[in-house]
Amino acid sequence: MAKRRWTVWTGWIAACLLMLLLLGALGAWLFLRASLAQLDGARTAPGLRAAVSIERDDMGVPLIRGRDRLDLAYATGFVHAQERYFQMDLLRRTAAGELAELFGPRALPLDRARRLHRFRARAQQSLALLAPQERAFVDRYVAGVNDGLGALKARPFEYLLAGAAPQAWRAEDSLLAVWAMYIDLQGSQEGRELARGWLREHSDASQLAFLLPEASRWDAPLDGALHAAPPEAPLPPAPPAWWGRRPQAPAQLALASNAFVDAVGSNNYAIAGSRSSSGAAIVADDMHLGLQLPNIWYRLALLYQDEQGVQRRLAGVTLPGAPPLVIAGSNGHVAWGFTNSYADTVDLVEVGVDAARPHEVRTPAGWERVIERVETIAVKGASGERLAVRETSLGPLRAAGGRQYAVHWVAHQPQAVNLNHLKLETAETLDAALAIANTDGIPAQNFVGGDRAGNIGWTIAGMLPRRAHPGAEHSFPLAAGAAAPGWQGLLAPQDYPRVVNPLDGQITTANSRQLAGPGAALLGDGGFDLGQRNAQLADRVHRLGPRTDVAHAFQAALDDRARFIALWRERVLAVLDPAATAGQPRRAEFRRLLETSWNGRADVDSVGYRLARNTMWALHDILFAGVNEELARLDPKASMGSANPRWPAVLVRLLDTQPAGWLPPGQKTWRDLQLAAVDRVIADFDKEGMALAQATWGQRNTATITHPIALAVPSLAGWLGMPPDQLPGDAHMPRVAGPKFGQSERMTVSPGREEEGLYNMPGGQSGHPLSPWFRRGHAEWVKGTPLPLLPGVARHTLVLQP
């Protein structure tokens, strides 16, 4: 009897526990549902001048209609907050150094690095410089953000998992979102300068000129037909002492190519009306950034009347959190897009110190008193931390390698962030758009635009430093006691270089050297890419022929031809001759796979592509792993790759000339060195337990795109992530693709013909995993299947009423 009672009670307890689990799951599901955006109905919105409708299509892309631009700014803020508030929060916290308040002590190292720049204080200063109508524009967006957040029936789900409550949006937060892009696009330049400074101190002048070339044979500058490229530096008889040094830490011996993710990318191109089927320009843009969920961009279209009563339609992408501007897109008259210019916008200026003058440092202008400001970093679950930031007239001080440097960065200027980009929305000609771009308060970007009359042009959008001696001391730290800082003030807009309507009817940029003529000195070199990608893009656009359209132009961004790695494949095949493969079955298999598993592309099924690519990287490791270990002690972003992204060009010259004096220790001939690289690739796959025949490019290049919360809670990765898609493409070709880096959008459009415009992006419009638009459109991005740029038929309509 007692046993029966125990069985009954056990059953009741199990049933109750199951019920509690089900109730908990139901409660979690209901909470998540409550934090979804409102899609239909009507809401009262304080401050609107007239009703605004938000019409979403089956992709979740909104067409926002209103009477004026201020009302649309409010509605955009409302939509951003409802779909993307946590993403916005991370942007402002990243720039301001406030992540530890959300994630605890583990975020402190990043917060300390960001607080050095005091961007929140700078944002408040920049707000004060806005014209009244610009400040009203930002304030209307802020009101929309906070009302959109407040209209959710529950806080965004990320805050439940983080155990925190969202804080209200403020006007300076929208400027901080732009500074977050400064960090993303220019934040590696400090490490680059430190790396180049170390190399300068440990190499003679001739070695340095050879190892850090100003240009490469693959460059395709926009003015290349007018100006010759700089000559290649002579090859010195001997390398520096650090050349080929082995690293001390065994972990540094791991093949870099297996973990390396190429993080340089972005293409934009324009085709003149003389080569388009419609007579209007065609503008294409695919900005390459780190990939996560939700995607950084939010696509929309805006319809309103301007102050003159003219009907305006804008289509493109916005950055949630930033002022509600169409970052890249078309206004019906002009279309535009961006790539990172890699202009030199940072100087590290070494300052002198004297123990007898503890509160002063010596700058090029003489001794000056350091201003110390205390920043308090709030830390979740712990006491706040006080951080002393020491500032000079040239910027904040940082230590590296036992020295003190002032960080002289364009991003510290009050004008670094402004709202001049808003003027692009009403530009009616290419010339007007180029002039506006030169005053834009954004990180310096390659601006490529075209208008409905068929004109195309390039210039720099964003802030450039005005250097007293253009071209001098670019990208090297300035030594203590220098006569003058590297730059003073900002370059005047009228001095910016431009290229308009070139004879071949096309313009392409892809993060490489843009100019070979005098304008190049105005930009400097902040880490230009090798140049092969832009050369290949220019070739692909040229192949579109004398008459093309938007659909064909879109395909240029998907070019995954392995033109660069094909050269390395030929080298490896040449060295794997019968003598090298005799009695070496693994080398023989390596050669067979290079020959048979190769179709000339970075294809997911190609083993040959991966083997050839890894061989190049194995040579990199043999020569540079030791110096990279040394440089990493200065800064996590200091490496031979950051000092010279064109390092493959150095290897090519050495393999072409094969100077005996440059052979690294332990190698008798250049043939032996290349065979050692092949053997190293084989050994690396052996360590992984992977047969060479299984080592496809897709197996290595598999997407791992997920929500930041899944990084903290890996068990949620399946729910908060994208499928592990194998991706074609790689660096040094237009279709840049890595597991967590690649084309954050693809857009091709002719101004005035936006209905023909095409678009892709990874991930969907919403950041909410229960939204039907969380993943919508991602599969098309993976396949390269374009979708319409403009929103389709409205499936949901929300009306905001005064």
Side-chain angles (χ1 to χ4, degrees), residues 189 192-193 196-197 200 208 212 214 342-348 464-478 486-487 513 518-528 643:
Q189 289 194 23
R192 169 180 164 81
E193 291 227 344
R196 291 169 72 88
R200 180 171 60 182
L208 196 69
L212 304 180
E214 294 182 11
Y342 285 91
D344 182 16
T345 59
V346 177
D347 279 346
L348 292 184
L464 288 173
R466 186 185 75 245
R467 297 185 177 275
H469 305 286
E473 291 295 325
H474 277 319
S475 300
F476 288 103
L478 291 168
W487 61 273
R513 183 182 177 92
L522 299 175
L523 307 184
D525 180 356
F528 292 145

Side-chain angles (χ1 to χ4, degrees), residues 467-774:
R467 297 185 177 275
H469 305 286
E473 291 295 325
H474 277 319
S475 300
F476 288 103
L478 291 168
W487 61 273
Q488 293 177 307
L490 299 174
L491 188 67
Q494 63 268 24
D495 294 333
Y496 278 50
R498 291 184 187 178
V499 174
V500 178
N501 290 333
L503 293 178
D504 60 358
Q506 69 179 57
I507 288 173
T508 65
T509 81
N511 310 117
S512 54
R513 183 182 177 92
Q514 304 98 327
L515 300 173
L522 299 175
L523 307 184
D525 180 356
F528 292 145
D529 199 14
L530 177 68
Q532 163 60 32
R533 178 158 48 89
N534 189 41
Q536 185 166 325
L537 179 64
D539 172 73
R540 183 67 178 80
V541 174
H542 176 75
R543 288 168 180 258
L544 293 172
R547 280 291 182 270
T548 192
D549 57 21
V550 166
H552 288 90
F554 181 90
Q555 297 301 313
L558 301 174
D559 183 3
D560 59 3
R561 290 175 296 159
R563 292 175 56 172
F564 183 68
I565 294 301
L567 304 176
W568 289 93
R569 173 178 174 267
E570 293 301 319
R571 290 183 186 278
V572 179
L573 286 172
V575 80
L576 286 175
D577 54 21
T581 57
Q584 296 279 351
R586 302 302 304 283
R587 288 184 182 176
E589 184 185 14
F590 199 103
R591 179 184 174 90
R592 179 182 65 79
L593 291 168
L594 281 175
E595 291 178 323
T596 61
S597 184
W598 171 268
N599 63 1
R601 298 180 178 277
D603 188 79
V604 295
D605 296 323
S606 176
V607 175
Y609 180 84
R610 187 175 181 185
L611 296 184
R613 181 190 194 274
N614 280 21
T615 304
M616 179 188 73
W617 274 97
L619 284 168
H620 166 279
D621 292 347
I622 291 170
L623 297 174
F624 302 133
V627 71
N628 281 343
E629 182 183 53
E630 187 74 31
L631 295 175
R633 297 190 182 103
L634 294 174
D635 187 279
K637 294 183 179 180
S639 67
M640 192 65 192
S642 65
N644 174 25
R646 297 180 286 275
W647 61 265
V650 173
L651 297 193
V652 167
R653 285 194 65 190
L654 289 173
L655 293 174
D656 285 346
T657 56
Q658 300 195 1
W662 279 76
L663 277 167
Q667 305 296 333
K668 296 181 180 179
T669 68
W670 286 96
R671 181 175 182 275
D672 290 342
L673 174 64
Q674 293 173 82
L675 288 173
V678 169
D679 291 341
R680 186 165 182 179
V681 174
I682 294 171
D684 192 71
F685 284 121
D686 287 344
K687 289 177 185 176
E688 293 184 23
M690 180 181 295
L692 290 180
Q694 297 174 344
T696 64
W697 177 238
Q699 191 275 339
R700 150 66 171 78
N701 207 43
T702 300
T704 55
I705 304 172
T706 190
H707 193 287
I709 288 293
L711 302 177
V713 189
S715 60
L716 298 177
W719 183 54
L720 292 175
M722 288 298 173
D725 299 298
Q726 294 192 356
L727 302 174
D730 191 17
H732 307 312
M733 60 186 64
R735 191 170 188 168
V736 171
K740 296 183 179 180
F741 184 87
Q743 295 174 323
S744 66
E745 49 81 45
R746 304 181 188 117
M747 179 187 68
T748 307
V749 62
S750 281
R753 305 176 69 90
E754 287 75 18
E755 287 78 7
E756 301 170 2
L758 299 173
Y759 186 80
N760 277 153
M761 77 179 189
Q765 287 284 101
S766 176
H768 199 298
L770 294 186
S771 168
W773 306 313
F774 184 59

Side-chain angles (χ1 to χ4, degrees), residues 353-360 367:
V353 296
D354 187 336
R357 308 174 80 159
H359 303 295
E360 296 179 288
W367 287 92

Side-chain angles (χ1 to χ4, degrees), residues 148-430:
L149 179 64
L152 293 173
K153 295 178 181 177
R155 58 185 163 168
F157 77 95
E158 296 96 338
Y159 295 98
L160 173 65
L161 296 173
Q167 297 180 1
W169 199 256
R170 290 178 282 181
E172 65 262 26
D173 293 336
S174 288
L175 303 193
L176 283 170
V178 182
W179 265 296
M181 298 307 295
Y182 269 99
I183 292 168
D184 193 20
L185 298 171
Q186 298 178 356
S188 63
Q189 289 194 23
E190 289 180 53
R192 169 180 164 81
E193 291 227 344
L194 289 169
R196 291 169 72 88
W198 189 95
L199 292 171
R200 180 171 60 182
E201 293 178 351
H202 293 83
S203 314
D204 65 33
S206 62
Q207 293 165 345
L208 196 69
F210 171 71
L211 291 167
L212 304 180
E214 294 182 11
S216 83
R217 68 183 71 173
W218 291 277
D219 284 336
L222 296 171
D223 61 348
L226 302 176
H227 302 283
E232 291 184 328
L235 178 63
W242 53 263
W243 181 255
R245 182 187 301 165
R246 288 172 61 86
Q248 297 176 359
Q252 294 292 326
L253 293 171
L255 189 60
S257 61
N258 276 8
F260 181 80
V261 177
D262 292 296
V264 174
S266 289
N267 309 306
N268 61 359
Y269 46 103
I271 300 168
S274 59
R275 288 182 51 194
S276 77
S277 57
S278 69
I282 300 173
V283 175
D285 185 49
D286 50 295
M287 297 179 279
H288 302 172
L289 295 165
L291 303 180
Q292 64 180 27
L293 293 179
N295 185 44
I296 188 168
W297 308 115
Y298 186 85
R299 179 162 57 116
L300 51 63
L302 304 173
L303 195 62
Y304 72 103
Q305 286 188 349
D306 65 17
E307 295 177 354
Q308 286 73 42
V310 177
Q311 189 81 354
R312 298 281 182 180
R313 183 179 66 180
L314 304 167
V317 297
T318 58
L319 175 62
L325 312 164
V326 174
I327 304 299
S330 179
N331 68 11
H333 298 276
V334 178
W336 64 92
F338 298 102
T339 67
N340 195 11
S341 69
Y342 285 91
D344 182 16
T345 59
V346 177
D347 279 346
L348 292 184
V349 183
E350 186 180 353
V351 298
V353 296
D354 187 336
R357 308 174 80 159
H359 303 295
E360 296 179 288
V361 295
R362 189 179 72 244
T363 72
W367 287 92
E368 70 172 72
R369 189 170 185 84
V370 174
I371 298 174
E372 186 169 298
R373 306 182 191 275
V374 176
E375 293 277 308
T376 300
I377 304 176
V379 184
K380 179 186 174 183
S383 301
E385 178 177 294
R386 291 168 62 83
L387 177 72
V389 177
R390 305 176 69 225
E391 292 187 314
T392 71
S393 59
L394 295 176
L397 297 176
R398 65 161 291 180
R403 300 175 180 175
Q404 289 285 326
Y405 297 95
V407 182
H408 198 35
W409 185 10
V410 165
H412 295 152
Q413 299 295 299
Q415 308 95 317
V417 177
N418 62 39
L419 261 65
N420 287 343
H421 192 96
L422 185 61
K423 300 174 184 177
L424 281 174
E425 297 185 355
T426 54
E428 298 196 357
T429 65
L430 173 71

